[in-house]
Amino acid sequence: MITKEEVEHVGWLARIEIDEKESDAYAEKLNSVLDYFGQLDEVDTEGVEPTYHVADIVNVFRKDEVTESMSQEDVLANTENKQEGNFKSPRIM
């Protein structure tokens, strides 16, 4: 059981102002969630393998294939901010 004092303490830790009326409501809601988890603990899961992913997908990456890249002229074609074949950016310091 979660008490309203524990709710207020968690609110203090999170720097959230929770008044007495809200702490009673939150304690009730959190206790109902914990009751639900208690019901889930009662389910017989003997022989059920853990589910790490909903879909049984092992590797969804594409193959790493070498392809031709764009030429330097094509890459720099749409910018006015270039210098000596590179993008020119503002100085940071």
Side-chain angles (χ1 to χ4, degrees), residues 23-42:
S23 65
D24 287 333
Y26 285 134
E28 185 178 322
K29 290 177 184 179
L30 289 171
N31 283 321
S32 70
V33 171
L34 291 178
D35 289 340
Y36 181 70
F37 280 117
Q39 291 176 7
L40 290 176
D41 286 338
E42 295 173 8

Side-chain angles (χ1 to χ4, degrees), residues 75-83 86-88:
V75 171
L76 296 172
N78 291 324
T79 184
E80 296 176 5
N81 299 323
K82 52 189 165 188
Q83 180 179 4
N86 298 305
F87 287 103
K88 183 178 177 183

